[in-house]
Amino acid sequence: MAQPAISVKDLTFSYGDVLAVDDISFDVAEGEVIGFLGPNGAGKSTVVKMLTGQLTPQNGSATLLGMDIVKDRKQVQQEIGISFEFTNLYEQMNAVENLNLFAKLYRVPDFDAIDLLQKVGLGGRDKEHVANYSKGMKQRLMMARALVSDPKMLFLDEPTDGLDPVSTETIHTLIRAATQTGTTVFLTTHDMVEADKLSDRVAFLNQGKIVALDTPARLKQRFGMRALKVEVELPNGDIEVREVTLDEDQTPQTVFDLFKSERILTVHSEEATLEDIFFDITGRGLQG
Amino acid sequence: MIGTLVANDIKLFFRHRFFAIVTAIGVVFYLVIYFLLPNQVDESLGMAFFIEDREIPLYQSLVDEPGDYTIFDSEAEMLTALEETGDFFVGLSLPADLTAAAARGETVELNAYYAPGVPAEAKQIFHDVLVLVANTVNPETLADLARFNDTPVVLGNDMTGAPLSMRDRIAPLLLMMIVVIEVFGLATLLNRDVDNGTARALVTGPLRLHQFFVGKALMGMVLAFGQVLILSAVMGVLGTAPLLLLATLLLGSFLMVGLGFFIAAISKDNASVMGWTIVFIIPMVFPGFSILLPGLATGWMELIPSYYFVDSLHRIINFGAGWADVAGNLTLLLLVGAGSMAVGTAAIMRKF
């Protein structure tokens, strides 16, 4: 791997006696989307806060774009865009004013707020006070604000939590568009489908520790079990679903016997979901 | 960068309907109060006389020379005026034989009619004046009076011949009030910025932490100082030592901005900002009222930081004080303002 965009070594943070992040290490390549997956309280947001300079690590170190997150905190912050877990917009201002404020503070030349708002699907609602926006619209505006300075790295903390499918899809499209221009994306979520769709690699975080880190496909290959789901019609007319586990020695024979002896209605291949794998590894679900 | 933040905050301040209305109405309301109050002091004693025999030499001067008194043609007219006009505080009815009887050393009955509400002290003073007058009529009793010379010594500013009008007295209070009110606005905006997370968005993005706080302090100064400047210009008090007055207003605004930071730091939400502001504002305005009503002034008021603000304003506007006269006050304002801002900033940072 070339110079990683994010390099984390032995990062640790506690809130009093509660160990939130426990000695984690990982690297993220430039232009990569890394999904941090874990239930509430797993430590995802704490990792984001440390990497974005909102919290100072109690142990360990990290660099973003080659800069130390503690020593070069402000320089790091100038290069990144953050979409926070909770909405933090100026609600008495409209969308254009919200974006223009940050563009001025970042000193972005020739900033076009309307163009950006159209990209996030808020064109035409730009003059309304943000207080009147739905949660999805606010989240899209937060995403737009994170993009104002054309950052090299995006931190998206639960960007689609509680959003409707349309808003979720808009944000997914924006993330994909950002990666196409080489932006590194650090995504935290407890939505395994989202992580699976968007991430080049996912990290499972459980009780402050990274318990698995790999591409979704490899994780499924390594931890999941492939299967065939076969619907058969019984002689009495009832329908029964049979599951045939793949990757076993007797699988070909089992499939052959099934097709020979039963009236097959449908056959579907199935693979383990990230949630299944997370459960297998940690013994707990992602919603916990 | 800081200028952008200040401009944005001021825009937000005036978008808040409550603050916008309070600010606009406040300035107008204070000016109306100021200009409605009299700018002169009525020092007349307001005495009414009925003199039955105006030819008696003792009364000639009263009759011939105009003064703070009115001579009525009948006792009934005098009593009606005393009761109904409010222009007089005492009326005397002087029968024709009174002077002669007093001169003979006889006990004379004299009715002094007082308007309603005349304090006992004033009645006593008038009684003493009457005794003196009676003694001048009867030289024998005058001979018994102790003889002494008194030397008047005025402590503080000698107001003889130049008393402060109500308008003069209320000016420092109004100037202080307009600044104090801004504490609430600043504390609310600051608290909301931290509470809503917009402060976090700013400091984890384009701004450094100190830029954020400097921006907020400047916003508070612009609001407080701007308003007090308008008020003092319209009131016409800027003409007296303008530089010194501006410095005092600036330091007073700084003190209140510090207080706004402190209130924002200890408040959890808008309701608690309101509560804490009331707790702090009430004692802050006491020193201003003590100038309006000097009887209220007590030593403990010097423990209230705003005392040094309002006292300086009072001395500059009403007594023409110079830099040296108020240097101590201004230094204290600077120190207390900086102190409360430092404590407030440290406490707010813990909320990030």
Side-chain angles (χ1 to χ4, degrees):
Chain A
M1 195 191 282
Q3 162 92 11
I6 303 174
S7 181
V8 172
K9 191 165 169 48
D10 306 328
L11 215 55
T12 302
F13 194 89
S14 300
Y15 296 102
D17 295 334
V18 180
L19 190 58
V21 175
D22 185 6
D23 199 28
I24 64 169
S25 301
F26 60 93
D27 287 340
V28 180
E30 196 180 317
E32 187 180 6
V33 180
I34 184 152
F36 255 56
L37 217 63
N40 293 331
K44 305 186 297 288
S45 292
T46 306
V47 174
V48 171
K49 284 179 179 168
M50 283 192 283
L51 294 180
T52 56
Q54 298 173 64
L55 287 176
T56 304
Q58 290 157 345
N59 197 25
S61 62
T63 58
L64 264 67
L65 304 165
M67 295 177 281
D68 187 276
I69 58 165
V70 177
K71 286 184 202 150
D72 309 314
R73 182 187 303 230
K74 204 62 224 174
Q75 289 93 315
V76 167
Q77 287 173 339
Q78 297 286 341
E79 300 292 342
I80 62 175
I82 309 170
S83 177
F84 294 84
E85 184 180 6
F86 301 106
T87 310
N88 56 359
L89 298 158
Y90 284 103
E91 306 243 336
Q92 297 78 29
M93 303 193 325
N94 62 39
V96 173
E97 289 171 323
N98 266 280
L99 297 184
N100 278 341
L101 171 67
F102 277 74
K104 274 186 195 168
L105 293 173
Y106 275 118
R107 297 194 171 115
V108 180
D110 305 322
F111 176 70
D112 187 348
I114 300 290
D115 181 52
L116 185 52
L117 286 171
Q118 274 166 353
K119 281 181 189 161
V120 298
L122 291 174
R125 305 289 298 266
D126 46 88
K127 294 284 187 284
E128 271 181 57
H129 276 193
V130 173
N132 299 329
Y133 278 15
S134 67
K135 188 178 178 187
M137 290 165 74
K138 286 179 184 173
Q139 200 64 45
R140 280 184 269 163
L141 182 56
M142 297 252 291
M143 187 78 185
R145 189 180 66 187
L147 294 167
V148 160
S149 61
D150 196 14
K152 292 180 181 148
M153 192 177 289
L154 270 177
F155 283 86
L156 308 175
D157 200 354
E158 309 271 5
T160 59
D161 189 26
L163 297 194
D164 60 274
V166 175
S167 295
T168 300
E169 192 46 44
T170 307
I171 286 175
H172 287 178
T173 306
L174 287 167
I175 294 171
R176 286 193 204 98
T179 56
Q180 279 168 10
T181 58
T183 306
T184 307
V185 178
F186 191 103
L187 171 74
T188 73
T189 180
H190 55 249
D191 181 344
M192 43 55 181
V193 177
E194 178 173 85
D196 201 355
K197 271 169 72 177
L198 297 173
S199 310
D200 296 317
R201 286 190 302 154
V202 292
F204 286 164
L205 204 63
N206 186 42
Q207 295 175 338
K209 279 184 178 296
I210 292 177
V211 290
L213 172 60
D214 213 330
T215 63
R218 275 203 217 110
L219 282 173
K220 287 173 192 170
Q221 204 173 26
R222 199 183 334 155
F223 296 102
M225 196 166 279
R226 297 184 303 145
L228 280 180
K229 195 173 270 185
V230 184
E231 277 186 337
V232 297
E233 186 179 4
L234 301 178
N236 62 5
D238 289 349
I239 294 170
E240 193 176 88
V241 178
R242 308 265 174 86
E243 193 170 283
V244 181
T245 308
L246 300 178
D247 306 323
E248 289 180 359
D249 293 343
Q250 68 274 27
T251 301
Q253 187 60 50
T254 309
V255 172
F256 180 77
D257 291 345
L258 196 63
F259 273 77
K260 191 178 173 191
S261 61
E262 304 284 357
R263 179 174 152 72
I264 308 296
L265 294 177
T266 63
V267 179
H268 297 282
S269 63
E270 283 209 327
E271 61 180 5
T273 64
L274 290 179
E275 181 150 28
D276 296 333
I277 298 167
F278 189 90
F279 189 82
D280 285 346
I281 294 173
T282 65
R284 62 194 289 216
L286 280 167
Q287 301 302 323
Chain B
M1 265 181 142
I2 291 174
T4 303
L5 185 64
V6 172
N8 189 64
D9 279 340
I10 289 173
K11 183 164 68 179
L12 281 175
F13 180 88
F14 285 105
R15 283 216 180 146
H16 197 296
R17 202 169 294 162
F18 175 76
F19 293 140
I21 291 172
V22 164
T23 301
I25 289 181
V27 173
V28 174
F29 182 64
Y30 290 160
L31 285 172
V32 168
I33 291 178
Y34 180 74
F35 286 109
L36 278 180
L37 288 173
N39 66 346
Q40 285 178 334
V41 180
D42 182 7
E43 289 186 290
S44 64
L45 292 173
M47 292 170 70
F49 289 103
F50 163 61
I51 301 170
E52 193 177 22
D53 184 357
R54 298 187 186 190
E55 300 303 319
I56 295 172
L58 180 65
Y59 304 135
Q60 279 304 305
S61 60
L62 275 178
V63 175
D64 296 341
E65 296 167 18
D68 277 344
Y69 50 80
T70 304
I71 299 172
F72 291 88
D73 294 332
S74 72
E75 185 175 284
E77 273 181 54
M78 181 191 76
L79 291 177
T80 305
L82 197 62
E83 210 167 351
E84 294 178 358
T85 64
D87 293 338
F88 308 99
F89 91 97
V90 66
L92 276 183
S93 181
L94 302 169
D97 59 348
L98 180 126
T99 315
R104 288 195 298 272
E106 294 171 15
T107 301
V108 294
E109 291 295 328
L110 184 66
N111 284 332
Y113 300 97
Y114 291 100
V118 173
E121 293 83 353
K123 289 176 184 170
Q124 182 60 49
I125 290 168
F126 190 71
H127 175 263
D128 294 345
V129 171
L130 280 182
V131 171
L132 269 175
V133 171
N135 282 329
T136 58
V137 172
N138 185 346
E140 281 182 30
T141 52
L142 190 64
D144 295 336
L145 285 177
R147 294 162 195 276
F148 63 89
N149 293 320
D150 63 329
T151 306
V153 178
V154 178
L155 299 173
N157 297 292
D158 187 354
M159 308 298 293
T160 311
L164 290 181
S165 67
M166 282 301 282
R167 200 183 282 183
D168 297 329
R169 287 189 180 281
I170 206 167
L173 172 66
L174 294 180
L175 292 176
M176 187 187 67
M177 287 284 281
I178 200 91
V179 176
V180 167
I181 295 296
E182 288 319 312
V183 169
F184 179 52
L186 173 64
T188 304
L189 283 182
L190 192 49
N191 185 268
R192 191 196 287 175
D193 245 353
V194 175
D195 240 25
N196 290 356
T198 40
R200 182 181 291 277
L202 289 169
V203 299
T204 50
L207 286 183
R208 291 175 187 274
L209 198 57
H210 76 268
Q211 289 175 317
F212 173 78
F213 283 114
V214 169
K216 293 293 166 193
L218 278 178
M219 186 266 285
M221 292 292 287
V222 167
L223 286 174
F225 185 65
Q227 287 182 71
V228 80
L229 204 60
I230 293 169
L231 200 67
S232 47
V234 180
M235 284 161 69
V237 297
L238 275 179
T240 331
L243 273 182
L244 178 56
L245 192 64
L246 287 178
T248 307
L249 294 175
L250 202 62
L251 286 171
S253 303
F254 182 63
L255 169 75
M256 296 308 164
V257 167
L259 186 63
F261 268 60
F262 186 71
I263 290 173
I266 59 175
S267 302
K268 282 194 165 66
D269 48 30
N270 284 351
S272 59
V273 168
M274 170 88 83
W276 281 117
T277 303
I278 291 169
V279 167
F280 280 97
I281 275 184
I282 290 173
M284 282 286 169
V285 297
F286 277 166
F289 281 106
S290 75
I291 288 171
L292 192 65
L293 308 165
L296 287 178
T298 52
W300 61 264
M301 280 201 188
E302 293 183 25
L303 296 174
I304 302 172
S306 61
Y307 169 85
Y308 300 96
F309 179 35
V310 82
D311 182 55
S312 302
L313 290 175
H314 183 42
R315 290 209 238 165
I316 297 164
I317 295 170
N318 293 325
F319 304 120
W323 286 94
D325 301 314
V326 292
N329 279 3
L330 298 189
T331 308
L332 268 165
L333 282 179
L334 182 65
L335 291 176
V336 177
S340 54
M341 195 175 286
V343 172
T345 303
I348 291 171
M349 279 169 66
R350 292 171 63 88
K351 288 179 159 188
F352 272 82

